[in-house]
Amino acid sequence: MDETAAASASASAVEAGDGNGDGDGSETRGGDDADPDSDPVVSGEGVRKSYGEVVALDGVDVRVESGEVFGLIGPNGAGKTTLVRALTGTTEADGDLRVFGAPPRAVDSQRIGLLPQSFDPPERLTATELVAYYGGLYDAARDTDSVLRDVGMADDANAWYETLSGGQKRRTCVATAIVNDPDLLFLDEPTTGIDPAGRRALHRLIERLAGDGTTVFLTSHAMDEVERLADRVALLRDGAVVAVGPPAELIAEHGGEPRLEVVVDGPAGDEPVERVGGAMSRDFAVEPTADGLRILGVRPESIGDAVDALDAGGIAFESLAWSEPSLEDVYLRLTGEAYSPRTGTGGIADRAGEDAQDGGDR
């Protein structure tokens, strides 16, 4: 059974509410506005998980408030998928894990939606049949047609899953995760393979769900997606959280300075850097790149000074591109551009046992 079906059909040992939400209907988002004394929707303390000698999670602490969009980022092999599986009760892990105040496997599955990273539903069902099938696993499901409209699949609702494009398949999978109108929604790489227009539509859907009180746990490699959607972000590396906070705060602390990327007209090398550095009238840092050079610390109002320094240094350039630091810069700085995950030669997918399904991204 795939993870979504397993999460949906699991027996509930403890009823955690009536399935209609755990709040008072307020549309206030979580994050900075959350009550620090309130019980979190998701919490984990000292979460650990190993596969043989491979440590996937090494004492992770996590807390997600009601109505919050919580982003989890990190390199392949960092432990993201293993953490999602532990929090949804689809794999065992050590530590204190709570969802709606109960152990993950004791939570009423009606309240949770899950889109795993890998999801292979029956291909000879139409999108409508597939969503209706998963809706049938719940006591009260949303109208299938309205869910398909939400994810942009209304026009292809009667197409067989096997005939859909990669992006259409992923949107259909998102529909199966929200058909029960969950109070808590886990999305593991929800926009993989989806075109830009489809990504924007799903972003708006996630924002609307969060605005209506759904708590969203989002895992993604798309830093722009996480920066836009998440109230708070945790960065996972080697199974441990190395930074956590609102995206703007992480960017301010770890993102570096604004920069001006210069593509030079001719071979790049150290000489342009030396000539421009010598012509600088401001305290800018200059470093070489594959196509030219990068001038750090350039604010919008000082771009003209940087251009004057290029002219004074006799540097002909093809293009200039100014940018502010982003969550991607935080990611690269805290993980390293050449970071190689410690999965070993075979990786955990080669290990025996049912938990070997956590292979790949982990």
Side-chain angles (χ1 to χ4, degrees), residues 95-139:
D96 185 14
L97 295 100
R98 299 281 168 174
V99 176
F100 297 117
R105 291 188 176 180
V107 176
D108 181 3
S109 61
Q110 309 282 331
R111 306 187 70 186
I112 297 177
L114 169 62
L115 175 67
Q117 186 180 38
S118 298
F119 181 34
D120 297 311
E123 294 193 337
R124 296 291 287 183
L125 295 179
T126 67
T128 295
E129 291 169 339
L130 188 61
V131 175
Y133 166 74
Y134 279 99
L137 298 175
Y138 301 98
D139 294 336

Side-chain angles (χ1 to χ4, degrees), residues 51 54-55 76-78 238 339-351 359-362:
Y51 301 94
V54 178
V55 178
N76 290 334
D238 288 345
Y339 173 68
S340 178
R342 75 281 178 266
T343 57
T345 55
I348 58 176
D350 293 336
R351 302 181 183 276
D361 180 55
R362 290 213 317 281

Side-chain angles (χ1 to χ4, degrees), residues 32 54 116 185 197 268:
D32 294 338
V54 178
L185 177 61

Side-chain angles (χ1 to χ4, degrees), residues 31 89 96 115 117 141 149 161-162 174 264 276 281 283-284 295 300 314-315 318 328 334 358 360:
D96 185 14
L115 175 67
Q117 186 180 38
R149 283 196 299 271
Y161 185 82
E162 65 179 355
V174 172
V264 301
V276 172
S281 60
D283 188 20
F284 294 138
I295 307 175
I315 305 300
E318 294 182 354
E328 182 173 321
L334 295 180
D358 284 322

Side-chain angles (χ1 to χ4, degrees), residues 235-320:
L235 193 150
L236 202 63
R237 176 176 176 173
D238 288 345
V241 174
V242 297
V244 63
E249 291 184 9
L250 294 179
I251 293 168
E253 183 174 357
H254 303 288
E257 300 180 288
R259 75 289 307 270
L260 189 68
E261 300 284 346
V262 182
V263 177
V264 301
D265 184 9
D270 293 334
E271 183 181 354
V273 172
E274 295 172 357
R275 293 192 346 233
V276 172
M280 286 290 183
S281 60
R282 285 173 170 258
D283 188 20
F284 294 138
V286 185
E287 59 186 30
T289 65
D291 299 318
L293 52 90
R294 178 181 299 117
I295 307 175
L296 301 173
V298 178
R299 301 288 175 183
E301 63 273 12
S302 56
I303 292 176
D305 295 331
V307 172
D308 290 342
L310 291 169
D311 290 338
I315 305 300
F317 57 88
E318 294 182 354
S319 65
L320 302 173

Side-chain angles (χ1 to χ4, degrees), residues 13-55:
V14 175
E15 290 297 325
D18 61 5
N20 295 322
D22 67 328
D24 58 3
S26 170
E27 296 187 358
T28 301
R29 291 282 293 274
D32 294 338
D33 295 329
D35 182 356
D37 297 324
S38 64
D39 292 332
V41 171
V42 174
S43 67
E45 295 182 6
V47 182
R48 299 181 182 276
K49 177 69 177 180
S50 296
Y51 301 94
E53 296 180 356
V54 178
V55 178

